């Protein structure tokens, strides 16, 4: 969020010409229905948030033990695997996809220069074996690309 402060003429002009105002729409009903259902699932099954946390801790612990540098909140299920180099992040993500694991390589301008990374997002839908398979693939590719030894 944010706001604009300035002379009345400027704020009026921005309200009339600013893209967020011109293209701002309500959420589509299917998006609202999905969000509502997600809340229902969490409320009715309190094990789901704990499973996400367990998966997150398992992934992060194994990755750090393997020699990878991870960023972000240690309990957050979005786990940035820091690689630094944009080309390396994209190559790494492509190699993961070849193994059936979908991760995203992020680089400038999405993140600061020199801070390229792989974005991993864990969920309650992942089993422990899914998490282990992903980490094993990271380790294999990380050694191949000389990210870890």
């Amino acid at each position: 969020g944010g706001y604009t402060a300035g002379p009345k003429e400027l704020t009026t002009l921005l309200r009339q010409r600013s893209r967020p105002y011109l293209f701002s729409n309500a959420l589509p009903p299917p998006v609202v229905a999905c969000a509502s259902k997600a809340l229902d699932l969490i409320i009715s099954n309190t094990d789901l948030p704990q499973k996400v946390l367990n998966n997150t801790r398992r992934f992060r612990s194994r990755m750090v033990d393997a020699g990878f540098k991870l960023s972000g909140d240690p309990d957050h299920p979005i786990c940035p695997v820091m690689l630094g180099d944009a080309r390396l992040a994209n190559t790494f993500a492509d190699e993961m996809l070849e193994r059936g694991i979908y991760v995203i390589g992020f680089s400038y301008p999405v993140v600061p220069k020199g801070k390229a990374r792989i974005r991993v997002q864990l969920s309650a839908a992942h089993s422990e074996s899914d998490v282990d398979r992903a980490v094993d693939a990271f380790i294999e590719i990380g050694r191949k690309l000389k990210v870890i030894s």
Side-chain angles (χ1 to χ4, degrees):
Y3 66 93
T4 301
K8 182 175 170 83
E9 296 80 15
L10 173 64
T11 57
T12 300
L13 175 68
L14 289 174
R15 279 194 189 103
Q16 297 301 316
R17 303 287 181 182
S18 180
R19 290 179 63 84
Y21 277 99
L22 295 174
F23 296 107
S24 179
N25 295 318
L27 292 173
V31 171
V32 174
C34 288
S36 179
K37 182 62 177 177
L39 290 172
D40 290 344
L41 289 171
I42 291 170
I43 290 167
S44 68
N45 185 353
T46 57
D47 293 341
L48 293 175
Q50 186 61 49
K51 186 171 182 194
V52 173
L53 182 60
N54 292 344
N55 284 344
T56 299
R57 289 179 175 166
R58 182 180 193 90
F59 178 83
R60 285 182 175 271
S61 174
R62 288 202 57 215
M63 289 290 285
V64 169
D65 288 348
F68 287 97
K69 181 182 176 202
L70 275 65
S71 183
D73 180 336
D75 290 334
H76 198 282
I78 295 176
C79 303
V81 180
M82 304 305 292
L83 298 174
D85 181 74
R87 184 171 295 156
L88 175 62
N90 289 328
T91 300
F92 209 120
D94 290 344
E95 295 245 357
M96 291 291 285
L97 188 57
E98 287 176 13
R99 289 162 178 77
I101 300 166
Y102 182 67
V103 293
I104 301 287
F106 282 99
S107 58
Y108 181 82
V110 178
V111 297
K113 285 184 179 179
K115 302 280 186 176
R117 64 198 68 185
I118 298 284
R119 180 179 185 250
V120 177
Q121 186 166 337
L122 295 143
S123 80
H126 295 119
S127 66
E128 284 185 1
S129 65
D130 292 332
V131 174
D132 289 342
R133 188 169 84 78
V135 173
D136 291 343
F138 264 102
I139 292 170
E140 179 186 339
I141 297 164
R143 288 181 179 146
K144 175 182 173 185
L145 298 177
K146 302 197 182 333
V147 173
I148 58 171
S149 51

